[in-house]
């Protein structure tokens, strides 16, 4: 029916292909464009396929070489190919459908624990994508070796660094290693001291009150709330105010909030795409329509970086102006402290050992606090509210503890509002059941599911050799559900296990069996910040409302930071008339 030729770019037709007398009424140009586009897409797909296959073969050769010639892999038990996986899927995914974020957190935990029990070994090897070798450390003692005993020998591998540096820049504490890391940590730690943090009490309380007011003033109180959305907003506000004194209620603050939410709530298709597109050169990426999702992701990252850089620069200018005028500089928030640490030029000259932070480091640090401090705490609060919503007795017991404190506090606390808030935060920190509830929530739903490290030198972990370059993985989520440490009810939510009255159980447990913040010199610097924030916000919420899970609501975790998906809660006003 049709003859002739057309160019590959549909619109750029060189000659007509449609002969007169056709039974179809479509104009010639449309057919030409259609066939031209199909032709173009066909070649493009072939090109992508060739690139992806070449890259996969190259990966298989590199990783195959590592399996064969890295001595430790011959001595560590290997988990084997899952029989239900076809060879093709196995070659491509390895065990990552079970052991990485493509599975849900509970599936990940079960897979590691099952492999541990089948192999009768706390340490075993398995494959990541393209059969890349990994070593799992599934006991607190093995994890302790990497976190504490020989921490300097284990650094973040290039793949992890690349993922983090896209968002955080290259110079922050999370990516620093060795002496550089120790220097940055020395500077940052004082800002997270308990005495400094209780002064953030008014911010924590005000944000908690705002959420509960929003819940109570809804026009349709019977409609459920999306708890993770609200907790994301509240923790974003807290970190923006407490770390940077940045007003989240401005248009610009809202823009930042939306970009952050998008970055951290990537769903499986876009995660898969991120992985596939990472195989292609950047230039090619821009021309593929499918990469629109990825481009949105990149533009979100650019926006966050731009905003944080602006905040840092503004604060530095303010600080320098005060410094030049000889006026006292204030320490309102984390950013003040970072800027001050950088600006000790006189002292700096005297000793090169004195701490200081460069401009780039300050920006990276600020981005790190935003990323590390916001999403993780939102996840902690969302899972805790979810667990309380399905365990009404625990919720009631906790409410009693909080209400008792509220009653005491209203009688005895200071008449100065800011001081009163700081005092309350101090008292909240001493509540045993509140602490136990948060510990139990972090045990079952650790926001960071696992950490990955690469050995710098040959080493030995619990009697097994670890060769230089080997990549080890601590699956926190699996260690937290291991019946060997937590007993036969390891999968149940039971805060009582953390109470001192059940100390006999705790004595049998390894001191590092609970490790959501890690231990040692790489432990989370924001642990106290996160716990105080979560405690204060729960206090504000649970003394005013009760929460129940919306019937029929199926909740699953997903993503790098175990974001709970679709937690819909019904909120009941405790003082409703
Ligand atoms: C529930 C909340 C949180 C959890 C579960 C958590 C967990 C973690 C974990 C597991 C690490 C180690 C990551 C690694 O080395 O691969 C880490 C590091 C870090 N976290 Fe947190 N975090 C939380 C909240 C916060 C907050 C609120 C802040 C700051 C405001 C913060 C700041 C940091 C920083 C700066 C590091 C890097 C420490 C270093 O490398 O020396 N985190 N966090």
């Amino acid at each position: 029916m049709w003859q002739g030729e057309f160019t590959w770019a549909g619109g750029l037709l060189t000659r007509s292909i449609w002969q007169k007398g056709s039974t179809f009424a479509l104009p010639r140009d449309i057919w030409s464009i259609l066939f031209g586009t199909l032709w173009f897409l066909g070649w493009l797909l072939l090109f992508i396929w060739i690139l992806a296959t070449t890259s996969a073969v190259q990966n298989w050769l590199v990783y195959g070489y590592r399996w064969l010639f890295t001595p430790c892999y011959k001595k560590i038990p290997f988990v084997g190919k899952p029989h239900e996986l076809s060879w093709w899927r196995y070659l491509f995914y390895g065990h990552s459908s079970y052991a990485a974020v493509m599975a849900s957190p509970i599936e990940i935990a079960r897979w590691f624990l099952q492999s541990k029990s089948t192999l009768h070994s706390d340490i075993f090897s398995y494959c990541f994508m393209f059969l890349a070798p990994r070593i799992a450390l599934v006991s607190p003692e093995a994890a302790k070796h990497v976190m504490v005993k020989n921490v300097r020998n284990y650094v973040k591998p290039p793949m992890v660094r690349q993922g983090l540096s896209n968002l955080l820049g290259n110079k922050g504490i999370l990516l620093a290693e060795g002496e550089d890391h120790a220097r940055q940590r020395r500077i940052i730690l004082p800002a997270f001291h308990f005495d400094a943090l209780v002064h953030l009490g008014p911010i924590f309380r005000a944000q908690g009150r705002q959420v509960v007011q929003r819940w109570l003033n809804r026009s349709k109180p019977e409609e459920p709330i999306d708890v993770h959305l609200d907790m994301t907003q509240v923790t974003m506000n807290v970190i923006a105010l407490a770390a940077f004194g940045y007003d989240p209620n401005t248009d610009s603050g809202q823009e930042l909030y939306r970009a952050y939410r998008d970055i951290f709530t990537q769903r499986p298709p876009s995660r898969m795409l991120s992985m596939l597109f990472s195989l292609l050169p950047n230039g090619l990426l821009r021309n593929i329509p499918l990469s629109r999702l990825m481009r949105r992701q990149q533009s979100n990252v650019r926006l966050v970086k731009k905003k944080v850089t602006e905040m840092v620069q503004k604060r530095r200018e303010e600080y320098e102006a005060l410094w030049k005028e000889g006026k006292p500089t204030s320490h309102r928030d984390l950013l003040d402290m970072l800027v001050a640490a950088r600006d000790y030029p006189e002292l700096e000259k005297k000793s090169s050992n004195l701490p200081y932070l460069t401009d780039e480091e300050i920006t990276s640090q600020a981005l790190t606090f935003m990323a590390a401090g916001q999403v993780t705490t939102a996840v902690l609060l969302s899972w805790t509210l979810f667990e309380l919503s399905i365990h009404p007795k625990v919720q009631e017991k906790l409410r009693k503890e909080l209400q008792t404190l509220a009653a005491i506090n209203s009688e005895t606390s200071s008449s100065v509002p800011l001081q009163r808030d700081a005092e309350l935060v101090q008292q909240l920190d001493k509540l045993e059941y509140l602490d136990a509830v948060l510990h139990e929530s972090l045990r079952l739903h650790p926001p960071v599911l696992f950490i990955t490290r690469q050995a710098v030198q040959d080493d030995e972990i619990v009697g097994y050799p670890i060769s230089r370059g080997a990549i080890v993985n601590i699956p926190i989520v699996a260690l937290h559900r291991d019946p060997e440490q937590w007993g036969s009810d390891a999968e149940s939510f039971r805060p009582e296990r953390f109470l001192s009255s059940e100390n006999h159980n705790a004595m049998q447990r390894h001191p590092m069996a609970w490790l959501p913040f890690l231990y040692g010199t790489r432990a989370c610097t924001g642990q106290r910040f996160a716990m105080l924030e979560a405690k204060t916000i729960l206090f504000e919420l649970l003394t005013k409302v009760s929460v129940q899970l919306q019937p029929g609501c199926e909740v699953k975790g997903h993503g790098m930071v175990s974001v709970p998906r679709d937690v819909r809660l019904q909120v009941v006003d405790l003082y409703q008339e």
Side-chain angles (χ1 to χ4, degrees):
M1 185 62 79
W2 57 272
Q3 300 169 348
E5 57 182 270
F6 49 83
T7 62
W8 55 271
L12 304 175
L13 194 69
T14 51
R15 207 190 294 169
S16 168
I17 56 164
W18 192 255
Q19 287 196 334
K20 286 188 179 166
S22 161
T23 49
F24 294 95
L26 278 176
R28 298 167 183 182
D29 280 2
I30 293 194
W31 281 105
S32 311
I33 290 169
L34 195 69
F35 286 118
T37 310
L38 280 178
W39 189 88
F40 167 68
L41 284 178
W43 276 107
L44 188 65
L45 281 178
L46 183 69
F47 183 55
I48 294 174
W49 187 82
I50 291 172
L51 264 177
T53 313
T54 318
S55 167
V57 170
Q58 181 200 332
N59 277 324
W60 284 321
L61 291 175
V62 170
Y63 296 135
Y65 181 85
R66 288 205 193 142
W67 277 108
L68 287 175
F69 296 102
T70 309
C72 69
Y73 294 121
K74 296 188 190 86
K75 307 211 170 114
I76 294 175
F78 176 60
V79 78
K81 173 184 157 314
H83 60 269
E84 69 277 11
L85 270 197
S86 67
W87 269 101
W88 169 240
R89 276 182 72 84
Y90 181 56
L91 276 175
F92 197 77
Y93 292 115
H95 298 97
S96 58
S97 335
Y98 311 91
V101 291
M102 274 180 271
S104 76
I106 296 180
E107 288 162 347
I108 295 173
R110 289 193 184 143
W111 184 79
F112 276 104
L113 292 173
Q114 206 175 356
S115 307
K116 168 183 168 160
S117 110
T118 313
L119 295 165
H120 304 291
S121 175
D122 291 348
I123 162 166
F124 60 84
S125 57
Y126 66 99
C127 303
F128 191 59
M129 283 188 76
F130 301 114
L131 304 187
R134 292 281 184 275
I135 296 168
L137 307 177
V138 200
S139 81
E141 198 50 38
K144 182 179 171 187
H145 184 93
V146 171
M147 289 188 293
V148 180
K149 284 190 183 160
N150 199 5
V151 58
R152 288 256 169 143
N153 193 44
Y154 294 92
V155 296
K156 296 198 170 79
M159 197 179 138
V160 175
R161 300 181 67 79
Q162 196 189 330
L164 287 172
S165 68
N166 283 343
L167 181 61
L168 308 179
N170 281 316
K171 298 285 179 181
I173 181 170
L174 203 60
L175 290 171
E177 300 288 353
E179 265 315 308
D180 189 27
H181 172 259
R183 175 182 64 88
Q184 295 197 33
R185 209 170 155 94
R186 269 200 306 277
I187 302 171
I188 286 167
L189 274 181
F192 291 97
H193 193 273
F194 185 72
D195 294 343
L197 292 178
V198 289
H199 294 294
L200 300 177
I203 295 177
F204 298 157
R205 286 200 78 179
Q207 290 306 318
R209 279 194 208 116
Q210 267 185 28
V211 188
V212 85
Q213 281 313 317
R214 237 190 2 256
W215 286 358
L216 293 175
N217 295 336
R218 282 170 309 148
S219 55
K220 292 184 184 162
E222 66 287 354
E223 274 188 8
I225 49 126
D226 180 338
V227 78
H228 189 62
L229 208 66
D230 284 344
M231 292 306 111
T232 304
Q233 172 105 55
V234 78
T235 51
M236 179 84 199
N237 291 357
V238 164
I239 202 78
L241 284 161
F244 310 110
Y246 186 72
D247 187 356
N249 291 319
T250 56
D251 286 350
S252 164
Q254 283 297 311
E255 206 184 353
L256 190 63
Y257 160 71
R258 277 194 293 272
Y260 244 95
R261 199 189 52 196
D262 263 24
I263 292 171
F264 284 100
T265 46
Q266 269 196 73
R267 295 207 166 201
S270 69
R271 262 186 280 140
M272 219 28 227
L273 273 180
S274 321
M275 227 172 312
L276 283 177
F277 280 123
S278 66
L279 298 172
L280 302 173
N282 261 340
L284 186 68
L285 258 181
R286 270 179 237 119
N287 301 316
I288 301 176
L290 263 179
S291 71
R292 226 185 48 223
L293 257 176
M294 301 308 304
R295 285 209 303 271
R296 201 171 105 195
Q297 198 68 354
Q298 282 164 359
S299 90
N300 280 331
V301 170
R302 269 199 303 276
L303 183 113
V304 169
K305 276 190 180 167
K306 183 170 160 274
K307 294 232 173 261
V308 172
T309 310
E310 280 167 12
M311 277 190 243
V312 170
Q313 277 168 358
K314 188 162 167 265
R315 192 64 68 83
R316 186 155 46 77
E317 279 159 20
E318 284 170 15
Y319 188 90
E320 277 170 3
L322 289 173
W323 177 276
K324 276 183 199 143
E325 289 167 23
K327 291 187 181 158
T329 49
S330 63
H331 278 203
R332 288 163 296 178
D333 50 34
L334 298 180
L335 190 53
D336 270 339
M337 185 270 313
L338 294 180
V339 172
R342 174 195 166 272
D343 278 325
Y344 284 127
E346 302 308 319
L347 297 174
E348 222 177 272
K349 273 180 221 152
K350 285 186 199 151
S351 162
S352 57
N353 289 331
L354 276 169
Y356 72 96
L357 291 172
T358 64
D359 274 11
E360 206 183 344
E361 280 171 348
I362 296 178
T363 306
S364 282
Q365 240 55 276
L367 285 162
T368 305
F369 293 161
M370 297 279 283
Q374 188 259 315
V375 192
T376 45
T377 318
V379 166
L380 163 62
L381 278 163
S382 307
W383 280 119
T384 307
L385 286 166
F386 161 72
E387 290 292 354
L388 292 173
S389 75
I390 55 171
H391 294 95
K393 284 190 183 148
V394 177
Q395 191 182 151
E396 210 33 57
K397 187 168 169 184
L398 176 60
R399 182 170 298 109
K400 282 218 173 86
E401 191 185 50
L402 296 174
Q403 282 174 336
T404 310
L405 176 70
I408 298 171
N409 190 263
S410 66
E411 284 166 18
T412 61
S413 70
S414 157
S415 54
V416 183
L418 291 184
Q419 208 172 326
R420 195 168 53 222
D421 290 347
E423 276 170 21
L424 180 91
V425 171
Q426 261 168 330
Q427 290 159 342
L428 278 171
D429 199 45
K430 294 187 192 126
L431 294 186
E432 204 188 4
Y433 199 60
L434 175 60
D435 201 52
V437 166
L438 285 172
H439 269 68
E440 182 67 341
S441 172
L442 282 165
R443 182 185 72 82
L444 278 183
H445 310 286
V448 179
L449 297 176
F450 31 60
I451 59 153
T452 308
R453 299 283 194 259
Q454 184 161 29
V456 177
Q457 295 296 333
D458 289 350
D459 192 14
E460 193 181 287
I461 300 182
V462 291
Y464 287 95
I466 300 292
S467 309
R468 178 174 164 228
I471 295 184
V472 298
N473 187 346
I474 303 177
I476 299 175
V477 64
L479 291 171
H480 280 187
R481 288 173 182 252
D482 189 348
E484 259 179 38
Q485 297 293 329
W486 302 98
S488 53
D489 64 350
E491 300 248 356
S492 318
F493 180 77
R494 202 175 62 79
E496 283 69 17
R497 72 177 89 237
F498 285 100
L499 294 180
S500 49
S501 49
E502 282 204 18
N503 242 351
H504 54 283
N505 286 345
M507 298 298 274
Q508 291 156 9
R509 213 180 285 150
H510 191 286
M512 291 183 188
W514 184 83
L515 64 165
F517 299 101
L518 303 191
Y519 291 94
T521 52
R522 299 267 6 178
C524 173
T525 51
Q527 172 167 358
R528 285 208 105 140
F529 184 115
M531 291 298 264
L532 283 181
E533 176 183 352
K535 285 176 180 182
T536 315
I537 288 167
L538 285 179
F539 171 82
E540 293 299 338
L541 300 181
L542 296 175
T543 48
K544 292 168 194 91
V545 296
S546 76
V547 287
Q548 290 157 19
L549 190 67
Q550 155 100 338
C553 186
E554 251 191 57
V555 178
K556 262 189 168 185
H558 73 110
M560 296 178 290
V561 272
S562 169
V563 171
R565 191 190 285 170
D566 301 331
V567 186
R568 312 254 163 212
L569 297 186
Q570 287 169 340
V571 174
V572 180
D573 183 351
L574 290 174
Y575 300 98
Q576 203 174 25
E577 285 169 8

